[in-house]
Amino acid sequence: MHSAQPTDPDVMPKRRRPVLRGMVSRQADQIDSSRPVERSGPPRPWLLRSLAGLGWTAGAALIFALFLRISLEKLMESDGANSALQAWDMLHGNLVLHGWIVGDVTFYTFELPIIAILEFFLGLHADTMHVAEALIYVIVAAFAVAIAVTDSRGLSRVIRASVVVAALAAPTLVHADLWIPLGIPDHTGTTAFLLASFLLVDRATGRRWTAPLLCLILCAGQISDVTVRYVAVPAIIVVCLYRMAADRKLISWDAANLLAAGLSVPLALEIRAFMRVHMGAYLMVSPKTQVAPYSAWQTNASIGWTSLREVYGIVAGPHFEPIGLAEIFGYAVMAAAAIGVLRVLWRWRTARRAEQALVIAMAANFMVYMLSTLVSPASPHDLVALLPFGGVLAARALVPERIASRLVAVPVTCLALVAALLPLSVAASRPTLTSGGARVIAWLEANNLHYGIGGYWDSSEMALESADQVEIRAVDGGHTAHGNVISFYPWETDTSWFDPSKHYANFVILDLPQLILRPTVLGVFGKPVRTHIIGPWEILVYHENLLTRLTPPTLKPMS
């Protein structure tokens, strides 16, 4: 019989081997703890999102810098200068532009607020307008990229974004076409309303706030530019009707979006009427919305085709030399856009809402332009929305949602970035232009001449050049039964500029190459006390307030 083993741990027999093992293990733990810990596995999601956000931000900043440099290659004309003066007036309290007569497009709800904000920080200068042009084009690019990258992953998103930017770069390669995408006031900013509404119905259908926000965007867009009414609204209505028919549902989110798009039209008209009647807002020259006679359709189609190629940088407009490699690049961009349109038509039943809306909007924009009285060899900017629309469809057609092989994705991404950045870099390498009006402004200031009148293209441009220190207001000559008359030009003008109780205008600026106004000026105002010629301009100085001799103009139909 064996004796029982002790159970008290204090009297337990000591075992050397376990003690040694414990010592060795503790020493190993101490050694391991002194070494850096190597972690394996993929990076954290928040880090990847931060790096991606930083990359997109850097890319947008680069594109903005290139757009800005390209914008500086053209001069700011009186159209853009008038927008700057309108925004400056809004910034100083005239929010509804009381007393203004604006053109057939107001830009009231998008471009003018952006310009006013920039003027708050940068002041009233021509450079501020160039910054606004670049910023607006970047905003359009951002909306286009947002639609293009939908459903894509990884480097496919970068490639699709690069295709969109390459499409937007096409007209910048041709100096004569540069004003089409980077011009103020033009329809480039209107494209932001179109793309934003298409993005909303595509990515946010099924949310309670989608339909009210869609109505608000379309309403604001129509107050700014009637193009939204004839392009975006029909596109959304047709897409929603198709979706409702395909789903066989009368009550659905698409029905809500359809109702929102339809209600935006009368709502915009009511808001505009309220602004005019009850708030004393601006007067607006009625847009040309009449249908052209059937006999003019063939000519309009030819002009429309030429205008479309100008938008894509394929031709440089009338009386310009051939443009070489830029023409090839423009045709490539147009062909890619055509492939995108055909892809959507081929797979229409499975296409996304935004894709369907873009195709319908492209057709509507071109048909409205071609069949209306608006068509003109000088108005290709009315088709500028086709450029980002085609870029989006091309990106979605040519680039798959995901490229699994990195051996393929990396070199294709590099090629796409080159295709986007190289044309912009080439366009940005051209010399910038400086206005010759600086010499005129310096002479006027030196002779204490600060308020005068002149032709439309010589007025607000110089006023902006001088930060409105030398104020030149646009007038036009005419003939009545009582002889020659001089009236203020009823387009993009503030009627208070011509109030003789507020202003004293004692000089006239005439453009020597275009002497149409000179005989009328001499006939109405008589012989000046002094004249001076600077470059292509002649300055006529008087010792009286010329505003007292102006005749009220005959106004075009207003709305």
Side-chain angles (χ1 to χ4, degrees), residues 344-467:
V344 174
L345 294 176
W346 179 258
R347 54 186 299 273
W348 182 263
R349 298 178 62 183
T350 58
R352 295 188 64 93
R353 289 177 175 84
E355 294 174 327
Q356 295 171 336
L358 287 170
V359 170
I360 296 172
M362 292 180 75
N365 194 358
F366 188 79
M367 293 302 294
V368 167
Y369 176 77
M370 186 185 71
L371 300 181
S372 71
T373 56
L374 182 65
V375 63
S376 164
S379 61
H381 55 285
D382 290 316
L383 297 176
V384 70
L386 300 186
L387 192 63
F389 290 0
V392 171
L393 296 178
R396 296 186 62 81
L398 300 178
V399 184
E401 296 178 0
R402 184 174 183 179
I403 303 177
S405 174
R406 288 188 174 272
L407 294 177
V408 176
V410 173
V412 172
T413 302
C414 294
L415 289 175
L417 289 172
V418 170
L421 297 179
L422 182 59
L424 289 176
S425 300
V426 172
S429 65
R430 294 187 294 249
T432 60
L433 298 180
T434 55
S435 174
R439 295 170 54 200
V440 177
I441 294 169
W443 187 88
L444 291 171
E445 290 181 331
N447 288 270
N448 198 29
L449 298 171
H450 296 282
Y451 208 96
I453 57 178
Y456 180 80
W457 298 109
D458 302 315
S459 55
S460 295
E461 176 185 349
M462 292 191 183
L464 179 63
E465 184 75 18
S466 68

Side-chain angles (χ1 to χ4, degrees), residues 217-237:
I217 292 174
L218 293 175
C219 180
Q222 292 172 70
I223 293 174
S224 180
D225 187 348
V226 74
T227 301
V228 176
R229 182 183 307 161
Y230 295 104
V231 176
V233 173
I236 292 175
I237 289 177

Side-chain angles (χ1 to χ4, degrees), residues 90 93-100 108 223 268-283:
M90 293 174 65
N94 189 8
L95 297 179
V96 295
L97 295 178
H98 176 73
W100 278 84
Y108 181 74
I223 293 174
L269 294 174
E270 287 298 323
I271 292 176
R272 173 69 189 108
F274 181 85
M275 291 175 60
R276 178 178 176 180
V277 175
H278 299 284
M279 301 178 68
Y282 57 85
L283 293 178

Side-chain angles (χ1 to χ4, degrees), residues 34-46:
S34 63
R35 296 176 181 175
V37 178
E38 297 182 1
R39 297 181 179 179
S40 58
R44 296 181 179 180
W46 66 267

